[in-house]
Amino acid sequence: MSEEEDNISVMDSETELEGGTEIPMGLLEDVVYSENYLPSYNEEESVRIVEETEFNQNPDSLFFNDGKRRIDFVLVYEDESKKDFDKRHNFLRRKRRREYFEASLMKMGMELEATRSVVDEKLIFVKVHMPWDVLCTYAEVLHIKLPIQKNDLASEFSSINCFTKHFYPSEDVIATEPEYFTAAFEKNRLEYFHVKDKDEFFTPAMRSRMAYYILCRATYEERGNVKKFGITKLLDSGVYKAAYPLHDCRFNVKSQEEGNVNERYLLYTEWAHPKNFYKMQPLDLIRKYYGEKIAIYFAWLGFYTIMLTLAAIVGLCCFIFGYKTRETSTWSKEVCDPEIGGKIFMCPRCDKDCTYWRLNSTCETSKDLCIFDNYGTLVFAVFMAIWVTLFLEFWKRYQAELEYEWDTVEFLEQEEQPRPEYEAKCVHDRKNPVTGEPEKVPYTACGRCVRLSCGIGTVLFWIFLIIASVVAVIVYRLAVFFTFSRRLREDIKGLEPFKEYVTPQMATTVTASLISFIIIMILNNLYERVAIWITDFELPRTKTDYENSLTLKMFLFQFVNYYSSCIYVAFFKGKVVGYPGEPVYWLGLYRNEECDPGGCLIELTTQLSVIMGGKAIWNNIQEVLVPWVKNLIFRYCNKVKSEKIIPRWEQDYQLQPIGKLGLFYEYLEMVIQFGFVTLFVASFPLAPLLALVNNLLEIRVDAWKMTTQFRRIVPEKAQDIGAWQPILQGVAILAVASNAAIIAFTSDMIPRLVYYWSFSVTPYTDSSSQTMAGYINNTLSIFNISDFTEISRPRDDVIPYWFDNSTTCRYRDFRYPPGHPKQYDHNIYYWHVIAAKLAFIIVVEHIVYLTKFVLSYAIPDVPYKVKEQIKREKYLTQVLLHETNLKLATERVKPMMDKIKCDLEEDLVL
């Protein structure tokens, strides 16, 4: 036995785990695959080797060297023969698997051609072509819908089109695609399909999708009754370095190839280029080039951005209203007035190290709070609850139109095939509950329960881990607030202009927000791997099931990760603090945080803006700079002489591969932003405006990187935005309760209204008409400093000189004063406020939910015109089936009739 064969035999005896694409030896008697087109080999059968050809020096060519066979996919590997001998033997098994895999492809009818790299002689590019018969076979397998007749229903003309047409690319540049009625392709009914040219009947995107389907199911190793298959595993194990469909040209230069429509160039110039930020997207061209899955994402992102425009305008108006009234607010004036706020001495916020302070020291904070805490905010919160309902309902209608136009109405029922990883593990028998036929599944009912339980348990563990990190940040806030209160004023003595703004409360908020953001980023990277591992372990049947399962896990994690700090500030901070003589302690060590005299709303606004802004900046850096720098480094490391001509497939290899999760992070980024815009909008009316600006940039950034920095994505079908749709609906429902609670418990609006309508007039004051005068004094309770405990009493060396003769201090709460029979108990004003808050939440929630229900019922999910077109298409399909069956029956009966006729004629002659 030769040394090479010996190495192979040794490596064959090794035990390895192949993830989802290998079934261990002895685990089953027979392997059953849903696909009947997989090849099989005998051990004695020779393996066909792909012939290597020279590059024909045509850089724009999308064909084999003969110029006739289109390249539908490209595989890239490293030639082991060009390596040093001491390293070469480690790659012999890879070589054998690759050759077997390529032989399987050729046996399945695909044609291959290999060409060595111009840049690196160790690299070899294997070009894959699907002949007509193979295309027809797999178009039928995948139930691909193709045109049968032109759409004879007139499209509706809207007066809005006269305005919006100026924002679409010119039809002279991107021609409008003709509309056809379509039906699932069948080979024996080819004559009924609208076939002008066989070479153009299947679009490049369809061809690439079918090629990838075959690549995912082609065998690369067989041992006894065990089959290993799939390009995914070969990529993971290093047998191939890359696998991708080709771009049709360079993004900034038109191809000179005859018949090339330069779709990539059109997408860059009319869509991805920054100059087009105000234009509508050419969704039909995006769908034609990248597939429905990419197109539906950009359609949703564009629709979301358009709807944000209205919310941004209303939010900006509310912000301007608050800014204009910040100087005229009565309670803000009282805080800033030296005769009122200057003579109100507030109790220390922490034990021993904190001291007394004047209320007017928070003058600027009080003015800033007026910008966000006003009656316009209430109107805006109700408006956003209605807006989110309209957004989701109109998106359903728009999505229904796209489903029909892009032939994905019945996609999930007809087209989606099981994942190769699922098929490879199908070792258990069960009876199909729908068909009643026996089928193979990868796990028993008990096994499925165990897998789901492990997944749920792991997700809950990580959620509790996030909550623990939030608690750690809260402890940090409590600890550093005391430190800042004692030392911050002294440390910034030389920075007089900033001394007024850099308060201990603000310093604590900003630093805690930054720490929260860093923790969020770290946990994101860790949990991603955990979520993928859990989902792989659960083994979903289809890719859609896989993505939906992963989406739910990731969003639950991200929901807690991103929103927990905001939820703490909005609903927990300053709610249970006791009073100066009997404060509440965390863990028995740290005194619970108090809100500013104006409330915690301004802190929630700061927290929201830091996390939302930091996330947007970080994501844009990752999306733009990272792929651009990687491509720049790759080109520098593989630079060639300028006279060398680089072929199309090698130019694409120098681009970045798309991640395994595809669009997952793009959706996640936008849905998290959607949560910030809806869940906490009552505290930050500028959130929709910031989201709008970010999204206008996001659309072009995503388009730019996809068109210029990444290899062409394998086109995929998608009916809708998947699991993100119910997630958005859940966020919309939660947003109503969230904003109502923020207005009721976080802002100071309800206490002000209660004071204005009930406590600003007799018998509580001498005024005969409602007024806000005296509100600040009414909301601050009195505390006798002699009632301090030894633990909480401030040290003598920190007490300011102006407090020497005072015996009381004030604190934010509604309690009886010292000397009252119920001293330090909650007073009647407190219970009025609590009742008003609860009543406000109940009334607002019911009104908004009722309005949402009415709107959801009044707006149909599918437009009437689309329903008509769907019925028309089904009718034509039924007619087609009837005519085909009639023709087949006629062809079968005709020989019998001819024979009977001949027999009758013979009888007559006799």
Side-chain angles (χ1 to χ4, degrees):
M1 182 181 292
S2 67
E3 181 179 356
E4 180 173 322
E5 292 173 342
D6 182 62
N7 286 329
I8 294 176
S9 64
V10 170
M11 283 182 284
D12 282 345
S13 65
E14 296 175 353
T15 303
E16 63 175 342
L17 295 176
E18 298 287 354
T21 57
E22 178 183 354
I23 305 171
M25 290 288 290
L27 188 61
L28 53 103
E29 292 290 333
D30 296 308
V31 180
V32 179
Y33 299 95
S34 62
E35 175 56 64
N36 297 321
Y37 300 97
L38 293 176
S40 60
Y41 287 91
N42 299 320
E43 293 182 1
E44 298 81 8
E45 188 174 354
S46 61
V47 176
R48 295 172 59 187
I49 305 299
V50 180
E51 295 183 2
E52 186 175 325
T53 61
E54 294 293 332
F55 171 46
N56 61 7
Q57 302 300 308
N58 185 356
D60 296 328
S61 178
L62 303 175
F63 297 87
F64 281 15
N65 278 3
D66 58 14
K68 297 179 180 179
R69 292 174 291 175
R70 172 179 283 275
I71 301 172
D72 297 315
F73 226 87
V74 175
L75 308 175
V76 187
Y77 69 88
E78 199 168 15
D79 187 3
E80 291 82 3
S81 63
K82 298 295 182 181
K83 291 183 173 292
D84 298 333
F85 181 77
D86 59 338
K87 298 180 181 179
R88 196 189 315 165
H89 72 278
N90 296 323
F91 298 91
L92 293 177
R93 189 176 189 184
R94 295 182 183 179
K95 179 180 179 182
R96 187 173 65 84
R97 285 184 166 186
R98 183 175 60 251
E99 291 176 347
Y100 197 96
F101 180 74
E102 292 171 358
S104 298
L105 293 177
M106 288 187 283
K107 189 163 185 178
M108 296 167 81
M110 304 182 80
E111 298 176 1
L112 309 181
E113 182 180 85
T115 301
R116 194 168 293 275
S117 169
V118 174
V119 176
D120 184 356
E121 64 175 6
K122 293 192 295 294
L123 291 179
I124 293 182
F125 295 83
V126 179
K127 296 164 281 185
V128 180
H129 169 75
M130 297 183 68
W132 171 256
D133 290 339
V134 178
L135 288 170
C136 292
T137 298
Y138 284 93
E140 187 171 352
V141 169
L142 296 176
H143 301 279
I144 293 179
K145 287 189 172 184
L146 291 161
I148 55 176
Q149 180 180 316
K150 281 194 173 183
N151 189 336
D152 56 0
L153 294 177
S155 59
E156 292 182 341
F157 178 80
S158 173
S159 58
I160 301 178
N161 294 341
C162 297
F163 174 75
T164 59
K165 69 179 182 180
H166 300 291
F167 296 93
Y168 283 93
S170 172
E171 292 188 8
D172 297 333
V173 179
I174 300 179
T176 303
E177 295 287 331
E179 295 184 10
Y180 290 92
F181 292 117
T182 59
F185 183 78
E186 295 183 36
K187 290 175 65 175
N188 58 357
R189 294 170 177 159
L190 182 62
E191 64 271 19
Y192 291 99
F193 288 89
H194 195 269
V195 183
K196 288 185 178 180
D197 187 347
K198 287 185 176 181
D199 294 333
E200 297 180 1
F201 183 58
F202 297 103
T203 65
M206 292 178 185
R207 298 173 69 106
S208 298
R209 180 180 162 217
M210 288 185 277
Y212 187 70
Y213 179 85
I214 297 174
L215 290 171
C216 287
R217 287 160 176 77
T219 309
Y220 64 79
E221 188 173 323
E222 293 186 33
R223 288 185 288 177
N225 57 8
V226 176
K227 291 182 180 180
K228 303 176 186 178
F229 58 90
I231 186 62
T232 304
K233 180 57 188 175
L234 295 180
L235 290 169
D236 293 339
S237 60
V239 176
Y240 287 100
K241 296 179 72 66
Y244 51 89
L246 286 181
H247 282 297
D248 61 356
C249 64
R250 283 181 285 177
F251 71 88
N252 55 353
V253 179
K254 283 188 176 182
S255 171
Q256 302 301 318
E257 186 78 10
E258 184 179 353
N260 193 336
V261 294
N262 293 287
E263 291 177 346
R264 185 190 184 193
Y265 174 79
L266 291 177
L267 286 172
Y268 174 72
T269 56
E270 299 297 325
W271 175 49
H273 198 282
K275 69 179 182 180
N276 302 310
F277 74 94
Y278 65 94
K279 287 187 177 181
M280 306 296 286
Q281 302 179 89
L283 293 176
D284 288 333
L285 183 59
I286 298 171
R287 176 241 179 174
K288 182 180 178 183
Y289 192 75
Y290 287 116
E292 288 79 5
K293 193 168 189 176
I294 300 294
I296 198 73
Y297 163 72
F298 281 104
W300 175 80
L301 180 56
F303 185 84
Y304 171 45
T305 303
I306 291 173
M307 290 293 291
L308 272 176
T309 305
L310 177 61
I313 293 173
V314 178
L316 181 61
C317 292
C318 290
F319 176 81
I320 294 173
F321 170 77
Y323 186 82
K324 292 292 186 182
T325 58
R326 66 192 292 264
E327 299 291 345
T328 60
S329 171
T330 303
W331 60 273
S332 179
K333 287 181 178 179
E334 290 184 350
V335 171
C336 298
D337 191 345
E339 297 300 319
I340 301 177
K343 293 183 178 180
I344 295 179
F345 304 147
M346 303 297 294
C347 297
R349 297 184 186 176
C350 63
D351 299 334
K352 291 186 177 296
D353 295 324
C354 295
T355 186
Y356 306 98
W357 50 284
R358 297 178 190 270
L359 180 61
N360 65 350
S361 64
T362 61
C363 176
E364 291 300 322
T365 303
S366 298
K367 289 182 179 180
D368 293 340
L369 185 62
C370 293
I371 300 175
F372 304 102
D373 192 2
N374 55 69
Y375 300 122
T377 303
L378 172 61
V379 175
F380 185 58
V382 174
F383 165 80
M384 286 301 295
I386 307 301
W387 173 89
V388 73
T389 303
L390 293 175
F391 164 65
L392 292 175
E393 292 302 317
F394 284 129
W395 164 247
K396 289 179 186 177
R397 290 174 58 86
Y398 185 47
Q399 184 173 256
E401 295 177 8
L402 295 178
E403 285 179 17
Y404 173 74
E405 292 177 8
W406 295 348
D407 296 323
T408 60
V409 174
E410 299 175 352
F411 163 63
L412 294 180
E413 298 177 3
Q414 295 185 359
E415 295 187 30
E416 192 160 25
Q417 303 293 324
R419 297 166 60 235
E421 293 83 356
Y422 178 91
E423 291 178 312
K425 295 290 186 180
C426 289
V427 297
H428 299 284
D429 294 306
R430 78 158 187 175
K431 185 178 181 180
N432 189 298
V434 178
T435 63
E437 300 293 329
E439 66 175 359
K440 291 284 186 179
V441 293
Y443 35 63
T444 61
C446 181
R448 178 176 176 79
C449 182
V450 170
R451 290 171 182 265
L452 291 177
S453 299
C454 290
I456 293 172
T458 308
V459 171
L460 291 177
F461 168 78
W462 276 85
I463 289 177
F464 287 135
L465 181 64
I466 302 170
I467 295 175
S469 69
V470 173
V471 173
V473 173
I474 294 173
V475 173
Y476 162 83
R477 298 169 67 103
L478 298 175
V480 301
F481 175 73
F482 306 146
T483 304
F484 285 150
S485 298
R486 184 175 67 250
R487 301 186 56 183
L488 188 63
R489 294 294 184 181
E490 299 177 1
D491 293 341
I492 61 173
K493 281 183 177 179
L495 303 175
E496 291 299 332
F498 303 98
K499 189 174 181 179
E500 185 177 357
Y501 300 97
V502 184
T503 63
Q505 193 79 15
M506 182 59 66
T508 303
T509 300
V510 173
T511 56
S513 300
L514 293 175
I515 292 174
S516 297
F517 175 72
I518 294 171
I519 293 175
I520 286 171
M521 293 296 106
I522 294 174
L523 290 179
N524 274 349
N525 293 328
L526 293 176
Y527 183 73
E528 174 191 334
R529 302 176 184 180
V530 175
I532 293 174
W533 177 83
I534 297 172
T535 310
D536 288 339
F537 179 71
E538 291 176 356
L539 207 61
R541 181 176 180 274
T542 64
K543 188 169 184 180
T544 298
D545 293 338
Y546 181 91
E547 291 177 349
N548 290 346
S549 177
L550 181 62
T551 296
L552 182 60
K553 293 180 182 63
M554 287 294 290
F555 180 76
L556 287 175
F557 174 82
Q558 300 282 7
F559 182 90
V560 180
N561 200 11
Y562 277 108
Y563 301 145
S564 55
S565 58
C566 294
I567 291 173
Y568 164 72
V569 174
F571 306 122
F572 296 99
K573 183 183 177 183
K575 302 301 183 289
V576 184
V577 295
Y579 61 94
E582 194 174 329
V584 177
Y585 290 89
W586 268 69
L587 307 176
L589 296 174
Y590 301 105
R591 182 170 167 175
N592 206 353
E593 283 187 285
E594 298 180 21
C595 288
D596 189 88
C600 283
L601 193 68
I602 191 67
E603 186 173 344
L604 176 60
T605 303
T606 304
Q607 184 91 357
L608 189 65
S609 58
V610 168
I611 295 179
M612 190 175 176
K615 181 176 179 295
I617 294 172
W618 176 255
N619 287 335
N620 284 324
I621 290 175
Q622 280 190 315
E623 292 181 6
V624 176
L625 290 183
V626 172
W628 180 77
V629 170
K630 284 183 177 180
N631 286 335
L632 191 65
I633 294 173
F634 187 90
R635 286 193 294 268
Y636 178 79
C637 296
N638 296 274
K639 60 182 178 180
V640 296
K641 295 181 180 179
S642 58
E643 64 269 14
K644 284 192 175 182
I645 299 175
I646 302 178
R648 170 81 269 134
W649 49 85
E650 195 155 357
Q651 294 177 40
D652 285 5
Y653 177 68
Q654 295 175 358
L655 301 176
Q656 290 297 305
I658 195 70
K660 288 186 178 181
L661 297 181
L663 292 172
F664 174 79
Y665 283 109
E666 307 299 339
Y667 273 116
L668 181 62
E669 178 186 354
M670 290 296 103
V671 172
I672 293 296
Q673 180 204 88
F674 180 81
F676 282 127
V677 168
T678 55
L679 291 173
F680 307 103
V681 74
S683 67
F684 192 34
L686 286 181
L689 179 62
L690 296 182
L692 174 63
V693 174
N694 177 77
N695 288 8
L696 290 173
L697 180 64
E698 182 73 20
I699 292 176
R700 305 305 160 180
V701 167
D702 287 348
W704 174 82
K705 71 179 183 181
M706 196 169 292
T707 308
T708 66
Q709 303 300 311
F710 285 97
R711 297 169 190 160
R712 189 171 182 177
I713 299 173
V714 179
E716 294 182 55
K717 278 276 189 179
Q719 186 180 30
D720 48 36
I721 61 175
W724 299 111
Q725 185 82 23
I727 287 174
L728 291 173
Q729 293 172 341
V731 171
I733 293 172
L734 188 60
V736 178
S738 173
N739 284 297
I742 287 174
I743 293 173
F745 292 102
T746 308
S747 79
D748 210 26
M749 187 176 302
I750 301 301
R752 290 201 298 267
L753 289 173
V754 171
Y755 176 80
Y756 181 80
W757 291 106
S758 300
F759 288 85
S760 65
V761 293
T762 53
Y764 300 102
T765 65
D766 297 333
S767 177
S768 58
S769 60
Q770 284 84 6
T771 178
M772 284 301 296
Y775 169 74
I776 290 298
N777 185 64
N778 192 71
T779 58
L780 297 177
S781 299
I782 302 173
F783 179 76
N784 194 328
I785 62 175
S786 62
D787 293 332
F788 272 122
T789 62
E790 289 300 321
I791 297 176
S792 58
R793 186 185 302 276
R795 300 196 319 268
D796 293 337
D797 60 331
V798 299
I799 298 177
Y801 69 91
W802 42 260
F803 192 77
D804 289 342
N805 297 325
S806 299
T807 58
T808 60
C809 63
R810 310 293 291 273
Y811 61 98
R812 179 182 170 81
D813 208 341
F814 308 112
R815 295 178 184 268
Y816 289 112
H820 193 278
K822 297 181 180 180
Q823 68 173 3
Y824 303 135
D825 287 343
H826 288 116
N827 58 25
I828 190 172
Y829 187 24
Y830 171 83
W831 298 111
H832 274 77
V833 170
I834 291 295
K837 288 180 177 181
L838 295 177
F840 171 81
I841 291 177
I842 294 172
V843 171
V844 169
E845 281 188 349
H846 280 71
I847 292 175
V848 174
Y849 281 134
L850 177 63
T851 306
K852 289 167 69 71
F853 173 77
V854 171
L855 289 174
S856 300
Y857 181 79
I859 303 174
D861 292 346
V862 182
Y864 177 74
K865 188 68 175 180
V866 173
K867 290 182 179 179
E868 281 187 335
Q869 292 176 326
I870 292 174
K871 291 178 182 178
R872 173 67 174 164
E873 186 169 301
K874 286 185 176 180
Y875 168 76
L876 289 176
T877 304
Q878 291 173 354
V879 170
L880 170 64
L881 293 174
H882 174 73
E883 291 179 353
T884 303
N885 292 333
L886 183 62
K887 181 179 179 181
L888 291 174
T890 303
E891 291 176 352
R892 291 175 182 175
V893 172
K894 185 177 180 181
M896 298 176 58
M897 296 299 296
D898 291 342
K899 184 177 180 181
I900 294 173
K901 183 178 179 180
C902 291
D903 292 342
L904 290 174
E905 290 178 353
E906 290 178 0
D907 291 340
L908 291 174
V909 171
L910 294 176

